[in-house]
Amino acid sequence: MGTVLVLLATSVIWHSAAPDDGWARTVGVAIQGLALLATLRISNETPRLFRLASALVPLAIVLTIVGNAVQGEAGDLLSGFLGLLIVLACPVAIVRSVVKHPTINLQTVLAAICIYLLLGLLFAYIIGVEVVLVGGHFMDGVGPTGRPTGADILYFSFITLTTTGYGDITAANRIGRTTAMVEAMVGQLYLVTVLAILVSNLGRSRQPAASAEDDGPSPT
């Protein structure tokens, strides 16, 4: 799970630091695709599912390149939806891997951290799609047009997820504010519940539910 965490952290840093160009978005999707494949490999999914993902990830990269070649909102939407699908698939595979662990260990905690990073990426893609669909002045603090770049969106997503709220970039309409409110609640609840519970129970074994056979014969 450490490999997945490194790939996801690399993806976050790349999207934040790389220029807002088509080739940079393509590299970002490729890194996330590698994270998905690494997750499927670690979770011991069926070979058929892994082969399917191995075919779909290159297809997503090609479609991202095509989307970048299409100037305008159509290309942005295509790139956004492809990244969103990959980011949605990763947590499912991670959870399937974690539930197989008989003990809450370091791998379980790393998996929870991976999901936290994926939440930030997930909301960044959702906001990116909203920017294209809603149009107009979507954010304050990003210039006179109110149209944020990919780096602006990712920055806004993570400062909202962590409830840091610097206030230098803010949502300017109802849809953006609603999304930010939901992300802040999800991020805070995730930290104080899921991650906190896992860390406090580190090293403990999961107790399987007792079956009817284990209870012994009922008294007559």
Side-chain angles (χ1 to χ4, degrees), residues 85-99:
L85 289 175
I86 293 176
V87 169
L88 281 172
C90 278
V92 176
I94 290 174
V95 171
R96 287 170 60 91
S97 172
V98 167
V99 296

Side-chain angles (χ1 to χ4, degrees), residues 3 13 29 43 46 92 107 109 120 147 153 215 217:
T3 302
I13 295 172
V29 170
S43 59
T46 61
V92 176
Q107 294 299 315
V109 176
R147 189 180 179 92
I153 293 172
D215 296 334

Side-chain angles (χ1 to χ4, degrees), residues 14 21 39 50 110 114 133 140 156 174:
W14 176 261
D21 293 329
T39 304
F50 185 81
L110 290 178
C114 287
L133 293 179
D140 292 323
F156 176 75
R174 183 173 297 178

